[in-house]
Amino acid sequence: MQLLKRLRRSGGAVSVQTAREPIGRWEGISPLYTRECMVYDGLRRNIPVIDAALDKIGRLVGGCAPRCSNPAAQKELERFFAQVKVGAMSQGMDSFLRCYLDSLLTYGNAVGEIVLTSEGDEIAGLYNADVRQLVFREGDSPFETVLCTVKNGIEPQPAPYPQLLVFSALNPHAGEICGESLLAGLPFVCDVLRKIYASIGQNFERIANLRYAVTYKPNGSALDRAYAKEIAGTIAKEWADAMEAAKSGQIKDFVAVGDVDIKVIGADNQLIDSQVPVRQMLEQIVAKLGIPPFLLGLSWSTTERMSSQQADILTSELECYRRILTPVLLRICTVFLRLRGYSCEAQIVWENINLQDELELANARLINLQADLLEHPEKRREQNETGGNSENSGFGDAGTAGAD
């Protein structure tokens, strides 16, 4: 109690006790694009499964729509979401979110900018900033950060209008400003996977691309001993002509006199079965990305119930990403409304992820209504008196709806 009284007299807590002390003006810089980010770019280029998974997450997160209590502001917000210019070639809030989320998943950080017109009274467009040119500097308190640009490549300069910037971090560590990429922890696994694929290619070069060994064994005659070199050269020339004719689709027989032996090099070897180690590496990648295998074209054996559970887990993952993106959208909507002269607040309503969610929600509402009628018989009598057909609200209908 005495501590609370002292805090009230002093105006409340002025700093976080467990935070580290702010560092000098240009020290304590946290770059958004580190060496690990270069590795993550390489993973997306070299491992198609990773690139496909991140693209699918961006599409599955879905679209959203603004909601506002003011009808006039609602119309302007809807028009803004559909027609806002994004960068030089895109349009619409969905384009901005896709690029924003892609940067967030790949690098762990994403920065966007609200660009105003020259008069400063309207939003001209939205811009997805390149994290390679941005750094964060610690502020005067743990709740403050300063976003700086490195345009001249020498000294970071604070952004002149930080209120027009939006920033998100993915799963930042305690006490840290920057987030962590979704691909963190995968470089080692992907390196092993690339080595397996490289060895498979080398084995196919050795075994699948046939090579022949033509051996001429001279007998004990004086003629063979004297002209063995010339005979071997003639056999090699004729064999090369026969192989060259086969490339152009012509069938040419090879005829040799004497003891000539022809064998395929590497025909007695077999390719190492790489299915098990490749699947082990892919399982680690899938577990990290949170995407069900069947969405990535991996035909692993699974049951219908397991697929449903994987879909539920994916839904929770997508909801987590939506919770990160919602404050960004609210910030953009607030700036738009204030510039247009509206004092109301906006809300973000996300689309349902798939039709299966619609069916599950409908079944849940039906079952809750049936349970309410069974627990309160008076409501059932009122429904019968008003002409409602309570017999059609049996549990069998819920099962039928679920089956449909």
Side-chain angles (χ1 to χ4, degrees):
M1 294 299 295
Q2 294 180 356
L3 174 62
L4 294 177
K5 292 179 180 179
R6 288 199 300 270
L7 287 176
R8 292 192 185 100
R9 287 195 299 267
S10 62
V14 296
S15 64
V16 179
Q17 302 178 69
T18 56
R20 57 188 177 187
E21 293 293 332
I23 309 178
R25 178 172 179 79
W26 293 117
E27 298 181 3
I29 296 296
S30 300
L32 273 68
Y33 190 84
T34 59
R35 294 182 179 179
E36 289 79 8
C37 295
M38 301 179 187
V39 177
Y40 302 148
D41 286 332
L43 294 183
R44 294 197 62 171
R45 289 193 298 266
N46 298 321
I47 309 297
V49 172
I50 294 179
D51 189 58
L54 295 183
D55 288 340
K56 281 183 172 56
I57 290 176
R59 290 195 295 270
L60 291 173
V61 165
C64 60
R67 291 291 180 268
C68 188
S69 58
N70 190 326
Q74 174 68 27
K75 291 182 180 180
E76 294 195 27
L77 271 176
E78 292 177 354
R79 189 184 309 112
F80 172 73
F81 266 56
Q83 300 177 1
V84 61
K85 190 174 182 180
V86 180
M89 303 297 295
S90 302
Q91 181 177 343
M93 190 63 70
D94 289 341
S95 300
F96 173 78
L97 284 182
R98 285 288 301 275
C99 187
Y100 191 88
L101 181 60
D102 186 84
S103 174
L104 183 67
L105 297 177
T106 305
Y107 308 121
N109 304 283
V111 178
E113 182 176 355
I114 305 172
V115 183
L116 303 183
T117 58
S118 57
E119 293 79 10
D121 57 350
E122 250 184 82
I123 294 180
L126 302 176
Y127 179 74
N128 293 103
D130 186 4
V131 296
R132 295 175 178 84
Q133 306 296 329
L134 301 174
V135 297
F136 267 104
R137 181 172 59 83
E138 295 180 355
D140 296 332
S141 73
F143 297 104
E144 297 179 3
T145 56
V146 180
L147 182 62
C148 304
T149 59
V150 193
K151 293 184 178 180
N152 56 6
I154 300 175
E155 185 180 22
Q157 299 293 334
Y161 304 105
Q163 64 272 18
L164 297 178
L165 301 177
V166 290
F167 168 76
S168 298
L170 182 65
N171 302 327
H173 296 288
E176 297 292 336
I177 301 175
C178 299
E180 185 179 64
S181 170
L182 185 63
L183 307 182
L186 291 182
F188 173 75
V189 175
C190 293
D191 185 55
V192 175
L193 186 62
R194 290 180 59 218
K195 290 179 180 178
I196 295 175
Y197 284 143
S199 63
I200 292 175
Q202 293 175 356
N203 289 333
F204 265 99
E205 286 289 335
R206 294 190 182 99
I207 298 176
N209 190 6
L210 298 181
R211 296 176 178 85
Y212 299 91
V214 182
T215 305
Y216 167 64
K217 300 178 182 178
N219 53 28
S221 64
L223 182 63
D224 283 351
R225 289 196 301 270
Y227 296 98
K229 183 176 181 180
E230 288 77 3
I231 295 173
T234 302
I235 293 174
K237 181 178 180 299
E238 293 298 326
W239 178 262
D241 292 341
M243 293 295 101
E244 191 67 27
K247 293 181 180 180
S248 59
Q250 299 178 3
I251 300 176
K252 186 176 181 180
D253 296 330
F254 172 72
V255 180
V257 179
D259 190 359
V260 179
D261 185 19
I262 301 175
K263 292 183 179 180
V264 178
I265 298 176
D268 53 344
N269 295 329
Q270 295 182 356
L271 289 175
I272 300 176
D273 186 10
S274 60
Q275 183 175 1
V276 174
V278 166
R279 175 165 177 173
Q280 290 177 346
M281 298 299 104
L282 290 178
E283 285 176 348
Q284 299 296 321
I285 294 175
V286 169
K288 179 63 176 178
L289 299 179
I291 295 292
F294 61 86
L295 290 180
L296 301 175
L298 302 175
S299 56
W300 295 342
S301 60
T302 182
T303 62
E304 182 179 356
R305 183 173 181 83
M306 186 181 298
S307 299
S308 178
Q309 293 174 348
Q310 290 175 348
D312 293 339
I313 295 174
L314 176 61
T315 302
S316 64
E317 293 282 342
L318 299 178
E319 291 290 345
C320 177
Y321 297 137
R322 287 180 171 184
R323 287 192 292 270
I324 298 176
L325 296 176
T326 297
V328 176
L329 294 171
L330 291 177
R331 176 76 173 274
I332 296 174
C333 291
T334 301
V335 173
F336 175 80
L337 291 174
R338 299 301 178 266
L339 290 175
R340 302 297 292 178
Y342 296 104
S343 60
C344 55
E345 299 294 335
Q347 296 180 348
I348 302 299
V349 179
W350 292 90
E351 299 175 355
N352 287 327
I353 294 175
N354 52 36
L355 295 179
Q356 184 179 359
D357 290 344
E358 293 275 4
L359 180 61
E360 295 295 336
L361 291 174
N363 285 335
R365 288 195 297 268
L366 178 60
I367 293 175
N368 289 334
L369 178 60
Q370 294 166 352
D372 188 53
L373 292 176
L374 292 176
E375 293 177 357
H376 303 86
E378 63 278 3
K379 293 184 179 181
R380 190 184 185 97
R381 289 193 297 269
E382 292 177 1
Q383 186 178 13
N384 292 333
E385 292 174 358
T386 56
N389 188 5
S390 61
E391 298 297 331
N392 293 331
S393 300
F395 286 95
D397 293 339
T400 304
D404 294 338

